[in-house]
Structures are given as C-alpha cells and as structure tokens.
Amino acid sequence: MTDVFGRSAEAWAGAHGLPLHLTWLPRVRENLRAFSGVFRELYPDGAVRYAVKASCHPALLAAVREEGAGADVASPFEARAALEAGMDPRALDLNGNCKEDALIREAVARDMLVVADSVEELALLQAAATTEGRTARVLLRLSGFELGPVTGEDIFTAGPWSKFGIPLGEIPGVLAALDTWPALRVLGFHTHIGSQITSPEPYLAVLGRMIDLGADLRARAGACRILNLGGGFPVNYLDAAGWEAYRRRLAARDGFCWNDGTGGLQPGPDGRLDPGAWRGEAYHSPWPKEAMLRAVLQGEVRAWGRTLGARQALAALGGPRLLVEPGRSIVEDAGATLCRVAHVRRTAGGHAFVTAEMGVLGHGDALLEGLPNRWSVAGGAADPEPFEAFIAGNLCFSGDLLSRTLVAFHRRPVRGDLLVARDTGAYTSHFIASNANAYPRMPRILLHGDGRETVMAERDRYEGLFPQPQGKR
Ligand SMILES: Cc1ncc(COP(=O)(O)O)c(C=O)c1O
C-alpha cells in the first residue's frame, strides 16, 4: 500500500475520485510553528504573514490564524478569505501592483498594513485615507536591487526588471516628500526578492539596505517600525545528493531531460555543460524553510557603513518589527496530487513516457518551472531495475509535460495504476490551472489530521464550464 497522509492512495481515489489534490494541515501547522520558533529564539519581535496566494481557503487560513500568523493578501478575495477566517485585519499585509480602489479603501478602513507598490499608489492611499478619515499604515515596497541570478528570472521580483515596487533610486525623493501624504504613516520598507531563494546572501543584502533606508526614514519621520523581508524561503525538492545527481544527469545529456534540454545548466568555458554552474530556480538549499530565516538572523549585513550581525544592525535601528511572508515553504510539502495512469508508451525517438489522466495545467507551477516533484507509482513489487519515464498529461503541445525529466518508478506502471506526486501544496492545481481542452480542474481537499476534511475546491462540472441556457437541463 502506498501511504498518502495516513490512507492508501486507492482509498483516497475511492473517496474523492481522480485526479485529486490533498493538503495535510498538520504539516502546514508544523511549518508555521518552525518559523515562529526561530523568531521566538532569535528575534522575538518577528512575525509570519503567510502568503495566501500559495494556497488559499478560509479553513486553511483559520489554522494559520490559530498558529499565531497573519497573512499577506494580494486580491479582494484573498483579503475576504483571510477576514472570513477570523484574522485580525491589522495582521494582514495588502500587497499587489494593481490594487482596486475598493480594496484600497477597505484596507485603509480596516487598518490593514498596505504595502505601497508605487509612488502613484501613495496618492491613491492618501485620497482613500482622507475619505475614510483615517491614517493609513504603509510600507514602501522596494525594487531595483542588483543581486545577480538568485532564482528563476521570472520569479525574481526585486531587480531592475521587476514590475513591483518603488525603484530604490526614487526612495530619497519619497522620504523627502512625506509631507505630501499627511494621511499616511510610513512605517518602514518591504522587499519580496522572489521565490525559491536558496542562499541567505540576497536576503542579507536586502536587509542591510532596508536597515540603512530605515535610518533615513527615522531621520525624517522619527522611527522605522517595520521591515518586511517578503517570502521566497526555499523548499527541498531534492536532497543534496539527489540535486547533485540531477545536475550530473543533465550534464551527461543521456536523454534525462525532454527534448535533450539542459534545464538551468550552463556551458563552461570549454562549451561543455558544467554540473556546478546552474542558473535559475534551484531544487535544493542547505537552508530550507525556516532554516533560511535562522541563517539570515544569524548572518551579517552591510549597514551603518560597516559589516555587522543582522540582529545587531536591527537593534541599532531601534529593533523594528521584522515580518516575513513565506508561502511555498509553508504549504509545498503538505500537498500531494493523485492521478490515474492511462498509457505507458514510447516516443518515435524511443523515449519512454507515462501518460496520466490529468490536465497538464492542473499541476500549476510544476509545468512552468519544471519542478522535479517526487512522483511514484502506487503499490506493486519493485522491478529488478527502476523504470524511467517522462510523465505527460492532457494538453496540446509535445513539450507540455507533468515531468520534463525522467522519473524513476520502482516498477513499470500499467494502465489503471495510481500515480502520486508529493510536494505539490503550493501554487498548484488552482493557481495557474486552466480548463484547457475543457478539462475539469481537480478538487482540492484539506485534511485536518483528525479525520475532518474541508473541500477547498470542487471538481469543475460541465455546467460550470458551459452554463446551460435557461430551461435546458
Ligand atoms: C509579495 C509576496 N510575498 C510573499 C510571496 C511568497 O513567496 P514564496 O511562496 O516563495 O514564499 C510572494 C509570492 O509571489 C509575493 O509576491
């Protein structure tokens, strides 16, 4: 039996049908506790604002609240779900580069912490706060950091090509003009570097810069009360040895990657692929999840004109509240996706692939980022040699795969077998999922750990995709 969160894969399939997405809430709680534990130990005035976009439902957010965390919300429905979960609006950060007027007004009226994405937004906030007769609590989101290749280009959100944030060069002007927005209380700064940041250096670079800007803010406004380091805390899709082996396989160009691709491997000076030179999102970090927060708090920053301990530098600023917005690292390893095998075939070029009964876009970001989610086939005795195959699902193009690198199954799957993908809790079946090929998106079930279940999303129905004319059944 292949155990998935305490039951066999077949039992889950029987209970909910396939394909199916499960989230194991006890793991979500564990991950949140690990982050708050690091804060308790190293920086008591720190707090977690779970990035709701990673996986959203009021029942999940109620557990986040019970664990003492707030939330980073970035849309009207995310904000509503967090409020419905009973979260204190003051524990919500409102992020986003296109906040609607009504959302800005609601945030100001309820005293959420608004992360201002642009100078233009400061004017909108000023108008909303004046209308509401309130003072808005605001952080300034920063962009334009030169940090080098810290993760996948498209998920690096703090650089010169970011669509988010106020360019660093404009901050002195903003601080000099704070009187222009008398209804705003600028409490500090925010930077979200991007997702899957696998080394502490970028965090420390950004933190040092925010501390120095905090000193400028303090000189202008009396205090810098909050710094928000965003999310991006990494998840280990592969252990250290697996990550090394993964890059070696890519470098060997032995058909490990679909279409003889090279993933993020870069050629060395001699033109050969170098397993040590990876560019883009990495699938392993020596500092996964809360270990990254620990490394940052125990690391050194460049601030106050010298290099010093991060906590010492924060203390010199008056010990501002430190917020983090982890998403992926809270829910990714709490998720699993189950689907049925349709076929096991070979391409014209002789490459083995398993086709699953699942819309490829149902798998969310794995398709876009090529994540090596941990796939397995449920049950059965092992073959003498693992069976290596790519995994395809339902979508039009040849490159639209559920796994673009070979998966080593313990046996050759056959039609009707169950496949299980682990580490699929974040940005998954309802993040980028679409109804391509009129394929229904799968249900998402939240498992509370005590036998209770919450349906976070139902399986799409035909009538939902194609609303029926009145009177027609
Ligand atoms: C502003 C902000 N904060 C936090 C996060 C969460 O990032 P991660 O899931 O990598 O922790 C995101 C993700 O896009 C974000 O945009």
Side-chain angles (χ1 to χ4, degrees), residues 250 262-266 277-280 283:
L250 282 175
T262 61
L265 277 194
Q266 303 297 306
W278 178 269
R279 230 185 141 104
Y283 304 139

Side-chain angles (χ1 to χ4, degrees), residues 9 58 60 83 111 170 184 228 269 301 312 408 466 471:
L60 190 151
L83 292 170
D111 204 16
E170 292 180 21
L184 307 190
N228 187 328
V301 296
Q312 198 189 347
F466 309 115

Side-chain angles (χ1 to χ4, degrees), residues 196-198 203 232-236 285 287-289 292 328-329:
Q196 193 68 359
I197 307 300
T198 50
Y203 283 108
F233 299 86
V235 164
N236 277 341
S285 167
W287 303 274
K289 305 198 283 188
M292 179 61 79
R328 184 198 301 241
S329 51

Side-chain angles (χ1 to χ4, degrees), residues 51 53 72 95 141 190 192 195 231-233 325-328 427:
K53 54 183 76 75
D72 147 33
N95 264 296
R141 179 164 176 171
H190 171 286
H192 172 64
S195 207
F233 299 86
E325 298 172 339
R328 184 198 301 241
Y427 307 111

